Amino acid sequence: MTFYAINGSPRKRGNTAVLLDKALQGVKDVIPDADTKIIHVYDYSYTGCVSCYACKRKGGKYYGRCAKKDAISSLLPELSQADGLIIGSPVYFHSLTGQLQAFLERLLYPYLAYGKEYYSIAPKHMPVAFVYTMNATEEKAQQMNYQIKLSPMEEYAGVVFSPPAVLYCYDTCQFDDYKRYMAQRFSEEKKLQRRQEHFPIDCENARGMGRAMAQKITGQNPTAEGSPGRI
């Protein structure tokens, strides 16, 4: 079995990457011999969907798959055969990173069929999870309706593959040393305290999400902490 984590952050050792790694560890807790891989989208040069509609052309060579040729062309069909996908992104301007948005356009759109209702022509259905990291507090995120603002890709991933589990990680540290940056709106002391006290909980929640994904695949009852829903 193969499970992928898709890191939508430019940082390979940042908060998002750490949580994705914990989620993959959770998969291994349940399926020790699972093949787990992390994809750093910023390692690849590509564009988002270019609206060529080759993936929608009836009887066409590329019906149901992306015709665009670039660095992720061979990766997309590989992902469509996974046993589970865990997608992570820091929140930039109230949304996913642009690089991840472009990647998911290419991954999801070819499998989204235009019937009277949307339906999926993906070759395989699988459990999906989204992990978000942000410097906003939980209270601020709720005030800014992040649950709604971040949901569009969750919705389409749900149609194409399966309704996703979702994990939010609030009030994260952005810098190693806040004194080196213009960031007066943040308290370094409070940020570091939050990281020390709460980030381990976020990591365990991510690991629980991975365990639940693997349990779903193996037919076990998923633990509540990682079941489809929002943490």
Side-chain angles (χ1 to χ4, degrees):
M1 291 185 176
T2 305
F3 295 80
Y4 288 89
I6 303 173
N7 180 22
S9 169
R11 299 178 179 180
K12 294 183 179 180
R13 296 180 180 85
N15 299 309
T16 304
V18 169
L19 293 176
L20 290 174
D21 183 64
K22 293 295 183 182
L24 292 178
Q25 289 178 32
V27 170
K28 289 255 188 199
D29 289 342
V30 179
I31 311 174
D33 61 348
D35 189 12
T36 57
K37 302 178 182 180
I38 186 163
I39 295 168
H40 301 285
V41 298
Y42 279 82
D43 282 350
Y44 298 86
S45 177
Y46 60 91
T47 71
C49 175
V50 295
S51 294
C52 69
Y53 297 114
C55 65
K56 301 288 183 276
R57 189 176 182 87
K58 293 186 289 185
K61 178 180 178 181
Y62 292 101
Y63 180 75
R65 58 195 181 98
C66 185
K68 173 74 175 168
K69 301 300 181 185
D70 56 22
I72 64 172
S73 298
S74 61
L75 184 58
L76 299 176
E78 186 178 330
L79 289 171
S80 72
Q81 296 295 333
D83 292 289
L85 294 178
I86 306 165
I87 301 161
S89 181
V91 175
Y92 286 3
F93 289 98
H94 305 233
S95 188
L96 307 176
T97 63
Q99 197 84 345
L100 180 60
Q101 177 84 17
F103 189 93
L104 293 178
E105 288 175 4
R106 297 277 300 282
L107 175 63
L108 299 176
Y109 186 62
Y111 303 132
L112 194 67
Y114 286 160
K116 290 184 178 180
E117 303 270 343
Y118 283 136
Y119 67 93
S120 176
I121 56 172
K124 188 174 183 179
H125 294 277
M126 66 192 76
V128 178
F130 280 79
V131 176
Y132 302 107
T133 60
M134 63 195 80
N135 66 53
T137 64
E138 183 173 3
E139 179 183 18
K140 188 66 173 177
Q142 291 174 351
Q143 289 174 356
M144 294 190 292
N145 295 316
Y146 272 10
Q147 184 169 323
I148 295 173
K149 289 177 178 178
L150 296 171
S151 66
M153 278 301 181
E154 298 168 23
E155 178 184 348
Y156 291 118
V159 173
V160 170
F161 295 127
S162 71
V166 181
L167 172 64
Y168 302 108
C169 179
Y170 304 103
D171 204 7
T172 58
C173 279
Q174 296 166 283
F175 313 118
D176 294 329
D177 183 356
Y178 275 74
K179 293 186 292 293
R180 296 175 58 194
Y181 300 91
M182 181 58 70
Q184 293 175 328
R185 66 181 291 127
F186 303 113
S187 164
E188 180 177 19
E189 180 182 356
K190 289 181 180 179
K191 283 285 189 179
L192 294 176
Q193 181 179 359
R194 168 78 181 186
R195 181 175 180 83
Q196 182 178 12
E197 294 177 353
H198 206 276
F199 195 67
I201 298 172
D202 294 324
C203 288
E204 186 51 40
N205 284 336
R207 192 163 185 163
M209 174 179 276
R211 285 196 293 267
M213 177 175 286
Q215 288 165 343
K216 186 173 183 179
I217 287 292
T218 57
Q220 303 175 44
N221 290 324
T223 55
E225 62 190 345
S227 298
R230 299 178 185 274
I231 302 175

